[in-house]
Every structure is written in structure tokens, then in C-alpha cells.
Amino acid sequence: MTNSVIQKAELLNTLHVPGTPLIVTNVWDAITAKIVSEAPGVKALASASHSVSNVRGIQDGEGLSVDEAIIAARIITGATELPVSIDFEKGYAADAAGVATNVRRLIEEAGAAGINLEDSVGAAKAPQYDIPTAAARVAAARAGAEAAGVPLVINARVDTLAGGGEWAEAVERANAYLDAGADVIFFLGLSDEDKVKRALDEVNGRISVIGAPGLVPLGRLAELGISRVSFGPGTLGLALASLQRAATTLTALGDYPEDLGFPFKL
């Protein structure tokens, strides 16, 4: 593995700082990766599996094959020099050995510096793998990264609260995944400040969350000590809503939208 990918993974890890969170505006193809990477202040990128799938006319939830997922990842990483964390869903494998193999492929074939790894069994947030099985899958991802010679940043997702489960189980899972080799816990369901504070108190490592209107503001997440904020398919929604508004205005013979033509010169 090239030193470049190793260095990107090392850099990505250092960017997860409690209180100075890494903000990753999720991308899904080459042009979005390029545009976001050129935005002032952006230090790393992350894909969103939902967006990657939807722009191909496929439902989220490992609707892509592992080969298709790796190709999609390579398109994104090839468009930027920044570290890229790839939403790798559940590892596209039925067992831990398959997760290890696929994670190694993702690093060696696409140059991923990090991954998200989910703990739910299907497309929904419930049911989840039992804790020993889910932790073994995290450990397998770490083993795959070590085989590739890259200190991959593993952002292990805990779906318990989002799937209607109990707080104690969510925390138990988070700490088990950290023990298994995760670097960061992607804790879904932290919908208010009290939950964020409680998670930060009870989880033995760094935490990443989803940001969205109605949830804890970005500045407050930083003050509380969150290490990473992403937006999932929300950024695709942002782009599509803008496109639909423009289509409505243009169809009505309205003014040209100010950004029509960006980033291209017509």
C-alpha cells in the first residue's frame, strides 16, 4: 500500500478532535467530491451509501454489490487529494471473514482512509447483530486494514436507539466496538443535548453524530465535545431541493438562478 493512503488515514484520525469536530459534507460521486474538497476549510470527505445508491437508481441497504461499491468508492477518492471515509454499510459480507476481505479490497483498490461500518442486519435499523457478532465484524475490519498495512479509521455505527432499542445496550455496543478496534463511534439517535452529554460520559472513546435541522446545532455539538459530524443523504437532499427549485423557476420563465452555470463556464 502506498505511503499516500497511510498518511491520509493517519491524518483522518487526527482530525477527529473532541470539541473541534471534523465536519464531513457527504458526497456521492466525482463532481461532488471535487466541489466539496475545494470548499474553504474542508479537510476530509465522507461518502453516504444512501446517496451513492440512490443516484444509481438503487435502494440503500447493500443494493450495490461489493464490486460496485468499491468502484463507486474509487470514483470518489480519485477526484480528491483529501482523505476519504467510505460508508461501507455492513461490509458487504455475511461473515467476519468476508468483512476483512472486503475492507482490505476497499483500501487497496479504492484508497479509502476510513470507513463507516453498520451493526444492523438489514436495511432497517433493527434488528442488529448480537453484540459479540457485531464486535467481531469490527475486529475483522481492523484485521483487513492491518493486512493492507493502513491504519484505517473505523467509524463504527450503533443503530440501537434509531431502531427503537434501549440506552444501556447502545452504550454496551459502543464500548464493545471500541474494544474490538473501532476508532470512533457513530452513535445514531442522539437527538438532544442530554443524550449527547450522556453518550460522551458513558462511551469510552470519540463520538460522531448526524447533523440536521431540529437536532443539536453544530456549534453546541463542538462545545459538548463531539468529534465528528456528518449529514448522510441530507446533502443529496440539499442538492436535489435546489435543483427542483431551479426547475420550477425556469419552467415558469423566471429569472436565471444566480448559480446557474456553476462551476462551469458557459
Side-chain angles (χ1 to χ4, degrees):
M1 180 52 55
T2 65
N3 288 333
S4 173
V5 178
I6 295 171
Q7 291 165 356
K8 287 178 181 179
E10 291 172 342
L11 173 59
L12 181 62
N13 196 11
T14 66
L15 293 173
H16 291 75
V17 180
T20 310
L22 172 64
I23 306 299
V24 282
T25 303
N26 299 81
V27 300
W28 53 89
D29 61 9
I31 189 61
T32 54
K34 181 177 186 297
I35 290 300
V36 172
S37 68
E38 292 174 351
V42 170
K43 298 176 181 178
L45 303 181
S47 69
S49 67
H50 197 292
S51 303
V52 169
S53 297
N54 282 184
V55 298
R56 290 163 173 76
I58 296 170
Q59 291 297 311
D60 191 28
E62 297 196 349
L64 297 174
S65 69
V66 65
D67 290 338
E68 290 169 330
I70 290 172
I71 290 170
R74 187 164 65 238
I75 289 170
I76 292 169
T77 60
T80 179
E81 291 301 314
L82 296 180
V84 180
S85 179
I86 295 296
D87 185 348
F88 209 46
E89 301 208 51
K90 304 161 212 316
Y92 298 86
D95 58 22
V99 172
T101 297
N102 291 343
V103 167
R104 181 173 183 174
R105 285 189 61 196
L106 180 69
I107 296 168
E108 294 180 341
E109 297 176 31
I115 62 166
N116 282 8
L117 190 67
E118 303 170 10
D119 66 355
S120 51
V121 175
K125 302 298 188 298
Q128 294 167 276
Y129 293 105
D130 62 67
I131 295 175
T133 299
R137 293 170 72 87
V138 172
R142 176 58 63 206
E146 289 176 349
V150 171
L152 186 77
V153 178
I154 299 176
N155 190 35
R157 202 174 89 180
V158 175
D159 287 350
T160 309
L161 296 186
E166 298 299 322
W167 180 269
E169 180 185 335
V171 172
E172 182 182 358
R173 285 178 176 274
N175 288 325
Y177 302 165
L178 289 166
D179 290 343
D183 298 283
V184 187
I185 296 300
F186 188 14
F187 204 131
L188 297 192
L190 301 184
S191 55
D192 57 48
E193 282 195 27
D194 287 343
K195 289 186 177 70
V196 172
K197 291 176 184 176
R198 188 175 177 187
L200 288 166
D201 285 343
E202 298 180 23
V203 173
N204 302 324
R206 294 173 292 181
I207 295 178
S208 68
V209 297
I210 282 280
L215 300 180
V216 182
L218 287 169
R220 186 58 180 147
L221 288 172
E223 290 172 354
L224 291 171
I226 287 297
S227 295
R228 171 171 166 172
V229 186
S230 58
F231 310 95
T235 50
L236 175 61
L238 186 70
L240 296 180
S242 178
L243 180 60
Q244 189 176 72
R245 285 195 298 270
T248 300
T249 299
L250 294 170
T251 301
L253 304 181
D255 294 336
Y256 294 123
E258 183 178 346
D259 290 330
L260 188 65
F262 173 84
F264 311 103
K265 293 182 180 180
L266 302 179

